[in-house]
Amino acid sequence: MTAALIYIHGFISSPQSHKAQQLARYVAEHHPEISYFVPSLANTPGEAAQQLDELVQHCLQHHAGSVGLIGSSLGGFLATVLAERYSLPAVLINPAVEPHNFAGHFLGAHHNPYTGVDFSLDQADIDHLRNMVSAPAKGRYWVLVQEGDEVLDYRLAKEFYRGCDISVETGGDHSFQQFERHLPAVVDFYAWGSGL
């Protein structure tokens, strides 16, 4: 059985995200023993969370329990929810923290340019995010943030994940510039050979 690594993209994104594709190429070239998953998530948080929960359960059943998560932005929030639910390690990139506190700005109609799907968010979606918030356990996370993130305040992630491994870089932006520098360390973080 092979290990599994699940990449969770952010809000209004897709498996074609630059970081997801960079990691896919790195894993394919350097770690063919790892099964890499980048699910195309539903645009609403409840549906996306259900998809991911089912995928994690599938991977736990078929990959001898060696499952790791990596999440970007809202995907970082969802990765935390799953990491706490299933005691999994996770790398988080400019993660959203308690997104219900700012998601009110996103109520209404949206268009996902990557998938061409039109959708709407309502108060029930915001409430779902609030109900999913999970306090992070120390020792399970590596959090990567850049101070130049123009979408999310990196200081919120520093506070929320206090006591976890956190790398704070000056400059950068929400996409996390030069993510490729961290690819070897990201994969090594999971210590696949130790059974997690």
Side-chain angles (χ1 to χ4, degrees):
M1 292 187 183
T2 59
L5 179 58
I6 301 171
Y7 184 97
I8 306 173
H9 65 70
F11 181 61
I12 309 185
S13 187
S14 81
Q16 297 306 310
S17 85
H18 189 54
K19 293 186 294 294
Q21 291 301 306
Q22 285 180 316
L23 188 55
R25 290 190 292 270
Y26 180 83
V27 169
E29 181 176 354
H30 299 282
H31 292 277
E33 75 280 6
I34 296 174
S35 293
Y36 182 64
F37 298 88
V38 192
S40 180
L41 298 177
N43 291 297
T44 56
E47 291 177 292
Q50 181 61 35
Q51 283 179 266
L52 289 166
D53 193 87
E54 292 172 359
L55 176 57
V56 168
Q57 290 189 43
H58 170 82
C59 288
L60 287 171
Q61 292 171 6
H62 294 88
H63 296 278
S66 296
V67 179
L69 306 170
I70 179 166
S72 174
S73 193
L74 187 61
F77 169 78
L78 294 171
T80 302
V81 173
L82 294 162
E84 292 307 311
R85 184 176 299 162
Y86 294 102
S87 299
L88 300 175
V91 173
L92 313 177
I93 308 163
N94 284 334
V97 174
E98 299 182 332
H100 61 276
N101 287 331
F102 59 84
H105 297 293
F106 296 97
L107 289 172
H110 297 277
H111 176 76
N112 188 323
Y114 296 96
T115 62
V117 173
D118 294 312
F119 67 100
S120 295
L121 294 183
D122 58 24
Q123 187 58 47
D125 295 310
I126 308 305
D127 293 342
H128 202 101
L129 288 170
R130 179 184 293 107
N131 294 334
M132 284 194 289
V133 173
S134 301
K138 296 177 183 177
R140 187 174 293 151
Y141 300 92
W142 179 23
V143 183
L144 295 157
V145 295
Q146 291 187 330
E147 294 179 356
D149 187 336
E150 73 283 8
V151 176
L152 300 172
D153 186 341
Y154 78 96
R155 293 170 295 186
L156 295 177
K158 276 186 67 178
E159 176 63 23
F160 190 74
Y161 293 97
R162 186 174 63 245
C164 302
D165 290 334
I166 303 177
S167 298
V168 180
E169 298 184 359
T170 58
D173 57 26
H174 187 60
S175 70
F176 201 93
Q177 291 293 315
Q178 297 182 311
F179 173 61
E180 64 277 5
R181 291 173 293 131
H182 297 289
L183 292 174
V186 164
V187 176
D188 289 346
F189 171 80
Y190 299 100
W192 302 107
S194 65
L196 299 174

